[in-house]
Amino acid sequence: MMKPRFQCPLDRRKTDRLFRLALILANIVLLIALTTYAVRGFYSRYWADDYCFGTIFHQHGLWEGTGFFYQNTSNRFAAYFLVGLNELLGEYAIRYLPAFMILVTVLIYSMVFSLAFRLVKFPQKWGVSILLSQLMTYFMLLTAPDLFQSIFWRSGMVSYYAPIPFLGLALIIILKGTQHGEFKVLQLLLLGLVTFFSAGLSETFAALESGLWLILIVVALFFIKKDRRKPILQSGTIALLGSLIAMLIMIKAPGNTMRLETLEQATSPWQVIYLSLRFGSSFLYRTLRGYPFPIVILFATSAILAYHLSGHVKPGMDKTVWLKILWGSLIAGFILLVCVAAPTAYGMMAYPENRAWMLGRFVSVLALIVASFSVGILSHSFMDHIVDTCLMSIIMLVLLSLYPLKGTWQEWQQLPVWQAGARAWDARQQGILNGISDGETSLTVQAFDSIGSVAELTADPHYWVNVCAANYYEVEEIIALEVLP
């Protein structure tokens, strides 16, 4: 075997110690970055649709309200149910929801990565799965097409961010059952329930989720050995069934007819396919053009991490399999981007709104992590002739791990702006409550500029936001003026 041109000056023990320190540093930096986003979430308040959701909950409660919402407002039955659970905790709970969702995402996908490593028999070290999960979450937020509407506005979050941890739960069930070679009936029932509920959060995610389970079934049929195929086919079929049932329920929603009458729909399946491919390709192009530096940082970090981990311990699968994983992740990622675009392409013949592309960002980031991880493992075929896996990869990992500090500092500098907005909202809220306690039923409040392009209270008491807010506070009308009388 040919020795590398550059030998590592440290022994294995010192190398492992330095690598552990690098992992700790990278995890701490990402924790600080994600904590900054969580702190920003503390300044979330009720905006636009939040008043409408809250009104239904106050008038009908959780279970009856879900039925009312489905019959009269929207087909996204699970979205209302999540809002209702948040409302059960009180008005202040909306302020802690972004932080909770970020934390849950990191924890769930740490488990997903850990189980995936076990399944492919890849060497694991403490902190690697957490690091990958934090990387995924951070770069999703950093490059989110509409960060405010996707995570800090509850009405957008429940449809376009909340599905992400639910998908992680489904993946955990599938990975655990596949690892054991069989599924218990209770596991399959839980999987069907999770995929059913998560698909009910939005048509966009239902299409994404259904596409993913179809890909899983195809992979099992054509790329998995016959003796290992059964658990994957079982779980994929149950997951797909749960998603399709939820999709059917959303299609049959009473409010859909009136909604679709005002919109232009695609006239043929080929038109939907063409528009979906076009919009998916456009999103991919915008991502590559708009975020070249974050993409390079994420790619390099994942690749170097995999390169170092596989340097001294042979991975459980050969290079041919990792090459298939590399191309499979890229192809599957693009197909899923097309799935994200499909509902809007059919229902509106339009490019999806930026907040809906949060799901596309999740797909692109996760696919990039898997692809770059595969590249890191495959790179040994030529890198081992040049340098020994050692100090250089650790130094590069440390330098790359410092990148989130830049975005964190920029986000931290914006926190006073969000804090000022929250204080103004709280002052207006207190004024409304004081007016109600004084017996007023027609209230005039301070008008705000729109936050994150979300509709605000206006001078027109019949504007839909004003109506929802008046119903929420149980008054006859609310008028918002820039200059109070």
Side-chain angles (χ1 to χ4, degrees), residues 226-261:
K226 214 169 187 180
D227 57 334
R228 300 179 183 177
R229 189 181 296 168
K230 182 179 176 182
I232 301 177
L233 286 175
Q234 250 185 348
S235 57
T237 303
I238 294 297
L240 179 60
L241 186 61
S243 301
L244 292 177
I245 292 173
M247 194 180 293
L248 180 62
I249 291 174
M250 288 192 289
I251 291 173
K252 294 294 183 179
N256 280 348
T257 303
M258 180 180 68
R259 182 182 173 189
L260 292 175
E261 283 177 353

Side-chain angles (χ1 to χ4, degrees), residues 175-192:
L175 288 169
K176 279 190 172 183
T178 304
Q179 185 180 353
H180 294 143
E182 61 178 352
F183 285 89
K184 296 178 181 178
V185 175
L186 190 60
Q187 284 179 304
L188 293 175
L189 287 174
L190 181 59
L191 176 61

Side-chain angles (χ1 to χ4, degrees), residues 53 113 127 249 304-305 322 342 407 451 457:
F53 275 110
F113 284 116
I249 291 174
I304 290 172
L305 185 63
W322 283 107
I451 301 175
L457 295 172

Side-chain angles (χ1 to χ4, degrees), residues 147-161:
L147 181 63
F148 177 80
Q149 291 192 18
S150 300
I151 185 74
F152 299 117
W153 179 41
R154 186 179 65 181
S155 296
M157 176 202 289
V158 293
S159 292
Y160 302 114
Y161 187 92

